[in-house]
Amino acid sequence: QVQLVESGGGLVQAGGSLRLSCAASGRTFSNYDMGWFRQAPGKEREFVAAISWSGGSTYYAESVKGRFTISRDNAKNTVYLQMNSLNAEDTAVYYCAAKYSGSINWRYWGQGTQVTVSS
């Protein structure tokens, strides 16, 4: 079992920045690929970014490419999402997720943190 706890959400003006953190516990963090997803009101949950177990590979949704950066610190069992140039369309609950490296399904999820961008 992997427990995930997100933090760092809040209210920010358009054009501003936020950094989300996700602290993991329970299993060997470096065995897991990590990802960020988001869900806006009335919409389905969507993929935002992912990072491989080593940090050597990263993936982004087209909508955030060039603005968001995912990173991880395996010594701290933490994954980050640096979000810059935020706009109103980025408003959502952001979820951290984990899957065993090489597997397909995101098995573990955090409780989410709210990000609200005011225009």
Side-chain angles (χ1 to χ4, degrees):
Q1 193 78 0
V2 175
Q3 292 79 41
L4 303 172
V5 179
E6 302 98 335
S7 61
L11 175 64
V12 63
Q13 288 189 335
S17 299
L18 279 176
R19 188 176 83 154
L20 305 183
S21 300
C22 173
S25 62
R27 292 288 179 94
T28 304
F29 182 67
S30 59
N31 286 343
Y32 291 82
D33 300 331
M34 300 298 296
W36 288 96
F37 293 74
R38 67 186 182 186
Q39 187 167 19
K43 295 187 177 181
E44 294 188 353
R45 188 176 298 185
E46 64 175 1
F47 169 79
V48 175
I51 188 167
S52 62
W53 66 273
S54 66
S57 297
T58 56
Y59 311 88
Y60 296 94
E62 283 297 322
S63 59
V64 307
K65 204 172 285 187
R67 300 188 298 123
F68 290 10
T69 302
I70 189 171
S71 61
R72 66 189 295 161
D73 185 338
N74 285 348
K76 295 183 178 180
N77 289 357
T78 301
V79 63
Y80 305 97
L81 185 68
Q82 177 67 44
M83 305 186 295
N84 299 329
S85 301
L86 286 162
N87 58 61
E89 289 68 41
D90 297 314
T91 294
V93 177
Y94 283 71
Y95 297 91
C96 175
K99 64 179 181 73
Y100 197 81
S101 180
S103 65
I104 296 174
N105 295 320
W106 295 94
R107 182 172 182 182
Y108 302 104
W109 294 84
Q111 82 289 349
T113 185
Q114 177 70 47
V115 172
T116 303
V117 183
S118 62
S119 55

